[in-house]
Amino acid sequence: MDRLLVVGAGTMGSQIAMVCALAGHDTTVTDVTDDALDRARAQLQARLDRDVAKERRTRDDVDAAFDRLTFTTDLDAAAAGADLVIEAAVEKLDVKREVFARLDKAAPPQTILTTNSSAIMSSQIADATGRPDRVANMHFFNPALVMRCVEVVGSDDTSPETMETVTALARRLGKEPVVLHKEIPGFVANRILGAVRDEAISLLEQGVSSVKDIDTACRTALGHPMGPFELMDLTGIDIGYHAKLARHAVTGDPRDLPSRTVTELVERGDLGRKTGKGFYSYEDER
Ligand code: 3HC
């Protein structure tokens, strides 16, 4: 399990790839454009330089990790050399099914194919491949370089060996694996987070309190490291939006649809920190 491939160089994919490289794995990260890869490389460089400056990591460790990291737009060639794939592309079922079908063709038969999604379960994707026993969810949290939890979830078709391999890999990456015994959308952590987030948005839409004050209550009354609105800005408002749509596609329950507030932000392109504006403005940081 030495050669890892991460598909998607967005916020999650790029940091997951760096986690793998820091743990000593030869890791390839792919995206559809060179621009996306250049952005990912620059963001990782800035983040890791900061860690070195703050003496959290040594320059040698960081340089060695970058040496183990390959950036490419050639998904098929990258898949051909991978022992395990972590897909972190956009949260859209049709895109994921297409990516998995392509990975299935290009990767060696023993390669395990995982998705970082929590909204889209591996049972929805596995039949796009000829190896459903080697498909699972390996779900990291944002920021992936920092958060220690990785949820490991299989479908009825996922083999115990695949679950064991993915769990052991999570441990080797320095993470704390949480194994689910049932495949449910959202898994454990996002279910709990979703309940907090929905209540926060409902309080905002009812005019009960402001974005800032609701966040303050979560931090200062409940001890959360950041409030739900700050967190949505960090993870990307579009991620939660697409996760809700995916959930709604499965359940048909109108309560699973994205809220009015989140839909408006997504339609305006205000997706959080990555676009410079979400519930808060980050123009100064940019
Ligand atoms: N990327 C990488 N590292 C980051 C980071 C980021 N975006 N933001 C912060 N860090 C690291 C840095 O090392 C930073 O130190 P530095 O700024 O001196 O370099 C260090 O964390 C501390 O950061 P801060 O002092 O800015 O702030 P905090 O002490 O509050 O820590 C936090 C930041 C770790 C993000 C913390 O606020 C936290 O744990 N927040 C909650 C995050 C959370 O709930 N994540 C789960 C989201 S749900 C999810 O991911 C589901 C998925 O399906 C999308």
Side-chain angles (χ1 to χ4, degrees):
M1 207 45 61
D2 281 338
R3 299 164 308 162
L4 305 180
L5 165 62
V6 178
V7 180
T11 312
M12 289 303 287
S14 58
Q15 289 207 9
I16 293 169
M18 182 44 89
V19 166
C20 298
L22 283 165
H25 296 277
D26 284 331
T27 308
T28 302
V29 55
T30 66
D31 210 310
V32 282
T33 65
D34 283 320
D35 269 2
L37 294 173
D38 290 345
R39 232 183 352 259
R41 193 190 284 110
Q43 276 165 3
L44 286 175
Q45 196 75 62
R47 176 59 61 189
L48 275 291
D49 282 352
R50 202 174 155 86
D51 282 355
V52 173
K54 296 215 161 183
E55 296 183 357
R56 290 195 195 101
R57 304 179 200 275
T58 66
R59 172 57 63 195
D60 283 354
D61 285 352
V62 168
D63 288 348
F66 272 105
D67 284 347
R68 285 190 284 267
L69 203 52
T70 306
F71 295 83
T72 177
T73 52
D74 191 343
L75 176 66
D76 298 316
D83 297 316
L84 184 141
V85 181
I86 304 168
E87 174 276 328
V90 66
E91 288 286 87
K92 289 185 182 165
L93 181 58
D94 52 342
V95 175
K96 290 197 192 290
R97 286 183 62 87
E98 226 170 83
V99 169
F100 271 68
R102 197 165 153 192
L103 289 169
D104 187 46
K105 280 203 188 82
Q110 70 279 7
T111 300
I112 291 176
L113 308 178
T114 71
T115 171
N116 173 54
S117 181
S118 66
I120 297 175
M121 301 169 289
S122 69
S123 59
Q124 297 171 270
I125 306 172
D127 67 340
T129 77
R131 62 182 89 194
D133 56 318
R134 263 156 293 153
V135 180
N137 286 73
M138 185 175 190
H139 179 224
F140 292 75
F141 291 83
N142 191 332
L145 276 164
V146 179
M147 306 313 282
R148 289 190 51 229
C149 184
V150 171
E151 290 173 321
V152 181
V153 194
S155 71
D156 287 345
D157 291 325
T158 310
S159 70
E161 293 75 24
T162 298
M163 292 295 284
E164 274 162 33
T165 306
V166 176
T167 306
L169 173 65
R171 255 192 217 105
R172 277 207 311 282
L173 297 180
K175 302 295 186 190
E176 192 75 60
V178 168
V179 179
L180 269 73
H181 306 300
K182 257 189 193 173
E183 196 199 41
I184 53 160
F187 308 147
V188 170
N190 273 354
R191 285 257 173 164
I192 295 168
L193 184 62
V196 172
R197 192 172 356 205
D198 288 350
E199 192 57 31
I201 291 172
S202 160
L203 291 168
L204 177 72
E205 289 185 348
Q206 289 175 60
V208 173
S209 195
S210 66
V211 162
K212 191 164 170 288
D213 281 350
I214 295 169
D215 276 349
T216 300
C218 289
R219 273 190 275 100
T220 58
L222 307 175
H224 292 183
M226 51 172 57
F229 297 107
E230 292 170 304
L231 186 54
M232 280 186 266
D233 277 358
L234 173 74
T235 51
I237 294 171
D238 54 324
I239 303 291
Y241 173 82
H242 287 301
K244 283 256 183 195
L245 287 182
R247 179 104 179 255
H248 179 258
V250 175
T251 65
D253 185 339
R255 284 171 304 184
D256 288 332
L257 281 170
S259 66
R260 175 173 48 80
T261 309
V262 162
T263 305
E264 281 170 11
L265 286 167
V266 170
E267 282 171 358
R268 283 210 301 269
D270 292 338
L271 308 180
R273 281 176 179 270
K274 62 186 171 186
T275 60
K277 197 154 184 260
F279 287 101
Y280 296 90
S281 178
Y282 305 90
E283 290 304 336
D284 293 349
E285 287 177 25
R286 285 160 79 81

